[in-house]
Amino acid sequence: MNEMDKMDNSNGSNETVNIIEQAEKPGYLHLLTLSDKLLAAGALVLGVLFVWFFYGKYPGISIPLFVIAFYALLFAYTRPVLSREAKFGWFLSIPVLMLSLTYLLFGNEILMILDLLALIVLILLQTILITGANTFKWHSPAVLIDLLFGVFYRCMAHVIKPFRIAGVLLRRNHSENTGKSAGVKILTGLLISFPLLLVLLALLSSADMVFGNLIEKLPDIFGDLNLEELFGKVIVALIIFVTSFSYLWSLGHGEKPADSQMKGLEAAPSLLKRRWDPVVIITLTAAVDVLYVVFVAIQFAYLFGKFGLPEGFTYAEYARSGFFELILVTLLNISLLACTLTFTKKGSLAADNGLKVLNTIMIGCTFVMLFSAQYRMSLYEEAYGYTFLRIMTQAFMVFMLVLFIITLARVWAERLPLLKPYIAVAIIAFTVVNYINVDKMIVKKNIERYYSTNVIDIGYFRTLSNDIVGELKKLAGDKNPDVAAEAEELLDQRKKSLSRNKGWQSFNLPDYRARKALGE
């Protein structure tokens, strides 16, 4: 019996050793490689940093700091698979850095929300490009599949792995030093039970008033400890920990959507290429051009020429009535031109040249429409003042003008791609818009308009960031007592808001300059 027991013990220990050896082999999840263990530790640090930076905090300098921390872990773990040939992927480092710095440099809340969405998309796109984890080219519409794959698969597929790594490490620790295994197991049990206990504590506190009252007195015993806040922080930290680990693990191991199934999606648009009959397209384009030429003639006659407007119309009403319709027509034109240039079959030399001329006429008419829309908006702003939406709309028209210039080049140079420059220009334009300091521009323009018209809407300034404080002080000493009083009231509100301690994580330059201007 003793020999049999020895044999059983020997077999048991051999099985344990085999498990550890399998865990150390590449085929067993790479669980015990040094880089994977460091990834788990780094992802845990990211989770803690996320809570420290953002939980209950207003975004500020914390955004670029967290982005830097994320990329440090990304480069450390995926260094073996980084591709120097992904030029566009590395180019995206510039807009990612610049957009993250906007949280430090500016304070417009609308742009903050848009910047966050743009950062998520750009970081997803860049990380899959520089690690070679993309199935499709960045300028292919099918790259959306890569982005969705990153969000719904990469971030979730490996959330269990860090806990498996911990389990393998515990098994190794047990095999190397059985004397310490009991303490390690107890510690593991406590760590696993902690979030469960928090959930049960919250439920039981709601279920029983006496128990709930006792729990409410716990903060008096433990100082400022807030169990609900602590529970929220732990959950958030765990979510960031497991999702960042899963995402980076997936990138580091080169996971992609099934190539055999997905490659057909990228090739699908090519089935539609050059299928449109050139005679049909020429007829369509010619008919649209005739309408546009008539419209442009009217624009020159009434808006830019010496003819007056119809009776009962002011220029401000005329500008407002047609502006958004012109923008819609412009968007339809860019869509029509892009499809025409992509899907129309090659015809005879005369047909091809005729279509090029017709497309050029359409683009020329669109230039006039854009100029008309820009002029209408200028008239409207002179009549009613400057707002964030109006400034952004004008910036959008400049962006559309650049796209039409690219389209015009594509009409006469068939080898020039469309989607590549469209995407690049869109990223650059969005980044530039963040750096024109829209809020400060709005206040400056409205103050200039006030000095010439004696009309100003200071109430609108309440929706803007602290970038406006320096300009707003000019109105506080205005000779008009009503304007001065309203400006002073708004400055007092900003002063009270700035006096609240938001934490260093929320630091940004507009708040710092505003405090300095207000004498704090």
Side-chain angles (χ1 to χ4, degrees):
M1 288 293 293
N2 290 336
E3 290 181 0
M4 291 292 293
D5 290 339
K6 288 180 181 179
M7 290 178 64
D8 290 339
N9 291 335
S10 175
N11 291 335
S13 62
N14 287 337
E15 288 177 3
T16 303
V17 172
N18 289 336
I19 291 173
I20 296 171
E21 288 177 351
Q22 288 177 3
E24 291 174 337
K25 290 181 181 180
Y28 190 75
L29 303 174
H30 301 269
L31 288 176
L32 292 181
T33 61
L34 178 61
S35 60
D36 292 335
K37 288 188 286 185
L38 291 177
L39 173 62
L44 182 59
V45 171
L46 272 186
V48 174
L49 283 178
F50 188 91
V51 170
W52 187 30
F53 285 168
F54 304 119
Y55 194 93
K57 303 291 193 305
Y58 195 78
I61 193 174
S62 52
I63 294 286
L65 289 178
F66 186 79
V67 169
I68 290 171
F70 172 80
Y71 272 95
L73 183 59
L74 170 76
F75 292 145
Y77 184 69
T78 62
R79 184 174 53 185
V81 298
L82 291 178
S83 172
R84 295 183 179 180
E85 298 177 359
K87 295 180 180 179
F88 184 75
W90 291 109
F91 159 77
L92 290 178
S93 301
I94 299 173
V96 166
L97 177 61
M98 293 182 70
L99 289 178
S100 65
L101 286 174
T102 58
Y103 290 86
L104 170 64
L105 301 176
F106 309 105
N108 185 283
E109 293 183 353
I110 297 176
L111 286 178
M112 281 184 174
I113 297 171
L114 297 176
D115 289 346
L116 181 60
L117 298 175
L119 273 173
I120 293 172
V121 173
L122 291 180
I123 289 173
L124 283 171
L125 182 59
Q126 183 189 29
T127 52
I128 63 175
L129 290 177
I130 64 176
T131 57
N134 57 304
T135 301
F136 308 104
K137 296 178 181 179
W138 64 267
H139 51 83
S140 166
V143 77
L144 290 173
I145 296 172
D146 277 320
L147 296 177
L148 294 174
F149 184 79
V151 172
F152 295 106
Y153 177 82
R154 296 188 198 278
C155 290
M156 302 178 185
H158 308 291
V159 295
I160 303 300
K161 283 188 173 65
F163 302 105
R164 290 182 178 177
I165 290 177
V168 172
L169 290 175
L170 289 174
R171 288 198 296 269
R172 166 176 282 186
N173 184 72
H174 174 67
S175 65
E176 291 177 350
N177 192 342
T178 55
K180 295 181 180 179
S181 61
V184 172
K185 289 179 179 179
I186 292 173
L187 179 61
T188 304
L190 289 175
L191 290 174
I192 295 173
S193 65
F194 182 69
L196 177 61
L197 289 174
L198 289 177
V199 173
L200 293 174
L201 193 62
L203 292 174
L204 292 174
S205 298
S206 301
D208 188 274
M209 293 178 60
V210 177
F211 185 74
N213 289 332
L214 291 174
I215 296 301
E216 288 178 0
K217 294 179 181 179
L218 284 178
D220 298 332
I221 301 173
F222 294 102
D224 296 330
L225 180 64
N226 187 320
L227 292 179
E228 291 184 3
E229 182 178 335
L230 179 61
F231 173 71
K233 288 181 177 180
V234 170
I235 294 300
V236 171
L238 283 175
I239 291 173
I240 300 301
F241 164 50
V242 296
T243 54
S244 59
F245 176 92
S246 178
Y247 184 76
L248 294 177
W249 174 285
S250 178
L251 290 178
H253 291 80
E255 292 183 338
K256 298 182 180 182
D259 289 355
S260 59
Q261 297 177 4
M262 296 299 170
K263 281 298 183 182
L265 293 174
E266 189 175 42
S270 65
L271 299 176
L272 299 175
K273 285 186 178 181
R274 307 300 179 187
R275 292 295 183 94
W276 292 3
D277 188 277
V279 176
V280 174
I281 299 304
I282 288 172
T283 305
L284 170 66
T285 307
V288 173
D289 283 354
V290 169
L291 175 62
Y292 284 169
V293 168
V294 174
F295 178 82
V296 166
I298 294 174
Q299 294 296 292
F300 277 106
Y302 284 95
L303 201 57
F304 310 134
K306 295 182 180 180
F307 291 96
L309 293 176
E311 187 177 350
F313 271 93
T314 65
Y315 274 104
E317 292 170 339
Y318 185 68
R320 184 178 185 179
S321 65
F323 172 79
F324 291 105
E325 288 82 354
L326 284 178
I327 294 299
L328 180 58
V329 170
T330 301
L331 291 173
L332 291 174
N333 286 352
I334 196 74
S335 303
L336 177 60
L337 285 164
C339 292
T340 298
L341 294 171
T342 302
F343 301 133
T344 303
K345 290 190 297 185
K346 297 288 289 183
S348 64
L349 181 61
D352 290 343
N353 289 334
L355 184 57
K356 288 178 180 179
V357 171
L358 290 172
N359 284 335
T360 302
I361 293 173
M362 181 181 290
I363 293 173
C365 291
T366 306
F367 284 158
V368 176
M369 291 179 191
L370 282 172
F371 184 76
S372 174
Q374 188 81 12
Y375 185 64
R376 288 167 184 256
M377 180 54 70
S378 299
L379 292 174
Y380 190 64
E381 286 171 333
E382 289 176 8
Y384 298 103
Y386 298 82
T387 65
F388 177 81
L389 179 60
R390 293 164 195 168
I391 295 291
M392 286 295 100
T393 305
Q394 288 180 302
F396 177 74
M397 286 187 284
V398 175
F399 166 65
M400 292 300 297
L401 177 64
V402 175
L403 292 190
F404 274 103
I405 292 173
I406 294 171
T407 307
L408 179 60
R410 169 63 178 81
V411 168
W412 295 98
E414 295 185 8
R415 293 186 179 182
L416 181 71
L418 273 181
L419 199 55
K420 279 185 181 181
Y422 279 4
I423 294 173
V425 168
I427 293 172
I428 294 171
F430 184 81
T431 305
V432 169
V433 161
N434 276 271
Y435 278 79
I436 64 176
N437 203 339
V438 181
D439 289 358
K440 191 172 183 179
M441 179 188 295
I442 291 170
V443 176
K444 272 188 172 182
K445 291 286 188 181
N446 279 302
I447 290 176
E448 291 174 3
R449 176 175 170 270
Y450 167 67
Y451 289 148
S452 61
T453 64
N454 289 322
V455 177
I456 191 168
D457 181 12
I458 296 180
Y460 178 75
F461 296 165
R462 300 176 191 276
T463 65
L464 305 179
S465 69
N466 285 324
D467 276 310
I468 70 170
V469 168
E471 297 295 325
L472 192 60
K473 286 190 70 177
K474 298 177 182 177
L475 293 176
D478 191 75
K479 60 183 179 180
N480 186 327
D482 293 333
V483 172
E486 197 171 357
E488 281 286 359
E489 181 188 356
L490 182 53
L491 288 173
D492 287 341
Q493 291 177 358
R494 294 300 171 101
K495 193 171 184 177
K496 290 177 182 178
S497 175
L498 289 167
S499 65
R500 303 188 189 102
N501 184 15
K502 298 179 181 178
W504 67 267
Q505 298 93 330
S506 302
F507 173 82
N508 64 23
L509 290 180
D511 288 356
Y512 171 75
R513 288 192 292 261
R515 287 191 185 96
K516 195 173 180 181
L518 293 171
E520 291 214 356

